[in-house]
Structure formats: C-alpha cells, structure tokens
C-alpha cells in the first residue's frame, strides 16, 4: 500500500478491460479501502469473484453505487444514460460519478440530467487499451504513462476534479483537462477515424474476390496486421462511439476524404513530387510522437504484460 486510501469505497459498473485494469491498479496502489463491482451477466460476475481482484461482486448497479465515494461506469457510452438514471437514487451525497467512455459530449448530455444535486459528475477518458475484452483482460499497468482526459461540465466542484485527477495519477496516468466538445473533436482524428479506417480496410480485404482469405492471413504485412489488431476491438463499444460522436467523426472523415482524393490524383498523374512531399510531412509527425514519449517499443494494442513488467 503506497499511502492512505483516497476513497473508502469505489464502485466499478462493468468489468471488462478498463474496469478490470482500474480494479487491479487501484488495489495495487492502495487507493481504496474497498472495491465493489458488478457486471451485466451472471457469468462475468462469477468470473470476477473467481479472480479475487475486488472485495465484493454484487448483482445490480444500484447496489454497487450504494454508499460508494467514487462510482465509475466502465460500460459502452450508449448505456451510460440509462445506468445513470438507475443509480441516481442510490448515490450518497458528495460522491463522485465518472465514466471511461471515448465520447464525452454525449455522455454529459445523457448522464447529467439524472444525477442529483450534491453529487459531483466528472467524466473521464483513459486513452489506453488493447484489442482484448472481458474480465480476464485487465492488468494493473495498462494506464502507466498513458493520458487520461477529464471533461468536467462547467461549474463542477474543483475539489472533486482534483480528487479524481489524483486518483488517475495514482494508477500511473498523465491527466489532462478539457471541455467535452474539444475532447470529442481531438479524439475523432486521433482515435475514432483511425478505427473506422481499420475496420474498413480489414473488411475490404475480406471481400476481395481475387484474393483468398488464406492469402490475406499468410501474406499480411506489418501495416495490415496493425489494422487487424485495431479492427479486433470491442464491436459494441465502437458502434456506440461512432453513433454518439457522429458529427465530429463525419467532419474528420470529410477532411480525410479530401486528402485521399488528392493522393488519388497524384498517383493517377504520376506526380511523385506530391507523394514525396506528403509522405515526408507525415513522417515528421510520427517522429514528433516518438520524441514526446507517446510511443513505446510495443503498441498500445496488444502490449504484452511481460514487456510492461520489464520496465524500470
């Protein structure tokens, strides 16, 4: 235990990759005296009990929220509004309610109206993950040196924001604060559009008539393999992301299509100079990401546990 617990009781509603990693990291760092969780299916709840990484597993969201100081919804963004309504009457005064969704504007719109006065709503987005899901997929090191973005609505109690910031920092994350609207625009280009492209490319390869599936698998180059890792992400979660952040995604997709048309014309016309200029510019962006420490020897998707454990 690294120090006094920040919270007497943390409730995790949903226990997949993110919820499971939060539980493991919070326990390892001693950030809660008690960790309570629940999950949608009885099978998942039973498996969490077997894993022994939380103190209690309960059947309902309301029971998990009852008496908790911090309640984190670790579920697809499309379900957040209904769950907020379900737990609203069971939240203690002064509790902090948060989430882990990749979209923030829709989460604020859907959750905030249900939360009672005296409860602090601080949405959050840990920008970390793998292509794996389920209660066994979590690991305590997931958030180390990854960003967690907090998007508190205007007028949120600053002490509650600071307490949640300290919690995420305590499990290894670097924390940034921005508005929900700005978050959604930034993530549309850095996360949502890349996922959409990955799903499209892998789907296109699957539909090619002149190339067999065995050839796609056998001769997949590194770039295609990277796309398949991204395209293996939770389909329900990403369905909800695109539906709830559609305006920002469509805006970024429009810009991308314009740039793609320029490259198409350059290839058709044999304009090597235009291609070289574009590739040189994008290479510099990659180098900038590496220079500021936003990359590691292994990618976010599928980072082997053993590589994380070897870090000093």
């Amino acid at each position: 235990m690294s120090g006094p617990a920040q919270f007497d009781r943390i409730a995790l509603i949903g226990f997949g990759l993110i919820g499971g990693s939060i539980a493991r990291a919070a326990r390892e760092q001693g950030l809660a005296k008690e960790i309570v969780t629940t999950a949608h299916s009885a099978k998942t709840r039973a498996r969490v009990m077997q894993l022994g990484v939380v103190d209690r597993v309960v059947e309902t969201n309301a029971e998990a929220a009852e008496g908790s100081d911090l309640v984190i919804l670790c579920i697809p963004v499309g379900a957040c509004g209904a769950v907020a309504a379900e737990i609203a009457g069971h939240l203690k005064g002064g509790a902090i309610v948060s989430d882990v969704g990749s979209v923030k504007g829709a989460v604020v719109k859907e959750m905030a109206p249900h939360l009672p006065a005296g409860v602090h709503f601080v949405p959050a987005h840990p920008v970390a993950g793998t292509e794996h899901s389920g209660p066994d997929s979590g690991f305590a090191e997931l958030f180390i040196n990854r960003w967690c973005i907090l998007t508190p609505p205007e007028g949120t109690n600053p002490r509650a924001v600071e307490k949640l910031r300290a919690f995420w920092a305590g499990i290894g994350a670097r924390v940034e604060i921005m508005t929900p609207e700005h978050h959604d625009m930034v993530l549309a280009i850095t996360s949502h559009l890349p996922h959409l492209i990955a799903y499209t490319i892998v789907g296109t390869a699957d539909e090619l008539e002149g190339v067999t599936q065995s050839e796609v698998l056998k001769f997949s180059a590194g770039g295609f393999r990277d796309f398949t890792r991204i395209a293996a992400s939770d389909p329900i979660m990403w369905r909800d992301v695109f539906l709830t952040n559609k305006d920002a995604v469509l805006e970024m997709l429009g810009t991308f299509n314009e740039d793609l048309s320029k490259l198409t014309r350059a290839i058709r016309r044999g304009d090597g100079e235009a291609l070289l200029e574009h590739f040189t510019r994008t290479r510099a962006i990659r180098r900038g990401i590496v220079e500021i420490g936003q990359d590691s020897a292994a990618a976010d998707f599928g980072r082997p546990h053993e590589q994380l454990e070897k870090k000093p």
Side-chain angles (χ1 to χ4, degrees):
M1 197 166 188
S2 59
Q6 292 183 345
F7 296 96
D8 287 337
R9 181 185 300 164
I10 293 176
L12 301 170
I13 296 179
F15 202 89
L17 169 67
I18 301 298
S21 296
I22 292 173
R24 290 170 171 89
R27 169 169 279 192
E28 187 175 283
Q29 298 301 320
L31 299 179
K33 293 179 181 177
E34 182 183 21
I35 301 175
V36 180
T37 192
T38 189
H40 179 69
S41 74
K43 180 180 178 181
T44 300
R45 294 194 297 271
R47 178 55 185 157
V48 176
M49 289 185 67
Q50 291 175 346
L51 291 171
V53 294
V54 300
D55 298 291
R56 283 195 297 132
V57 181
V58 297
E59 291 190 6
T60 68
N61 299 328
E63 189 178 356
E66 192 87 46
S68 295
D69 306 287
L70 172 62
V71 180
I72 305 178
L73 276 59
C74 306
I75 56 178
V77 292
C80 285
V83 171
E86 181 183 353
I87 67 174
H90 302 270
L91 295 167
K92 64 183 286 188
I96 298 173
V97 176
S98 189
D99 75 309
V100 296
S102 180
V103 179
K104 299 274 65 95
V107 164
V108 171
K109 181 180 178 181
E110 295 298 322
M111 288 185 64
H114 299 295
L115 300 179
V119 168
H120 310 298
F121 181 35
V122 188
H125 175 207
V127 188
T130 76
E131 75 272 28
H132 304 296
S133 58
D136 291 274
S137 61
F139 53 103
E141 305 89 352
L142 178 64
F143 309 110
I144 294 174
N145 291 326
R146 298 300 185 227
W147 286 103
C148 182
I149 302 171
L150 306 185
T151 62
E154 187 175 354
T156 302
N157 186 303
R159 289 190 296 274
V161 176
E162 171 56 27
K163 192 166 186 179
L164 189 61
R165 186 208 64 77
F167 172 79
W168 279 104
I171 58 177
R174 294 189 278 179
V175 183
E176 184 85 10
I177 297 175
M178 59 181 67
T179 66
E181 296 76 19
H182 188 66
H183 166 279
D184 289 353
M185 189 61 69
V186 170
L187 269 294
I189 187 60
T190 62
S191 176
H192 303 166
L193 184 59
H195 275 79
L196 187 63
I197 294 169
Y199 282 120
T200 304
I201 289 176
V202 175
T204 299
D206 184 55
E207 295 168 2
L208 288 175
E209 293 183 0
V211 179
T212 68
Q213 187 177 55
S214 63
E215 287 175 320
V216 170
L217 298 176
K218 182 177 179 179
F219 299 113
S220 61
F224 186 77
R225 289 195 298 272
D226 287 343
F227 280 124
T228 62
R229 283 200 300 272
I230 297 173
S233 300
D234 187 335
I236 295 175
M237 179 184 78
W238 282 100
R239 175 202 65 189
D240 286 1
V241 165
F242 291 124
L243 292 177
T244 54
N245 198 31
K246 64 180 181 180
D247 291 339
V249 170
L250 289 173
E251 182 176 340
M252 292 300 105
L253 186 59
T255 301
F256 173 79
N257 284 331
E258 292 174 5
D259 291 340
L260 187 60
S261 295
K262 293 177 185 177
L263 290 177
T264 302
R265 288 194 298 271
I267 294 170
R268 183 179 294 119
R269 296 170 181 173
D271 190 348
E273 185 176 340
L275 293 174
L276 181 62
E277 186 277 331
H278 184 84
F279 299 156
T280 301
R281 178 163 54 87
T282 56
R283 187 184 190 189
I285 293 173
R286 165 63 182 174
R287 287 176 172 173
I289 290 173
V290 173
E291 287 173 0
I292 65 173
Q294 278 298 290
D295 195 25
S296 59
D300 275 354
F301 287 88
R303 285 192 292 159
H305 294 207
E306 62 270 21
Q307 288 194 15
L308 285 166
E309 291 168 358
K310 289 178 183 177
K311 287 186 176 182

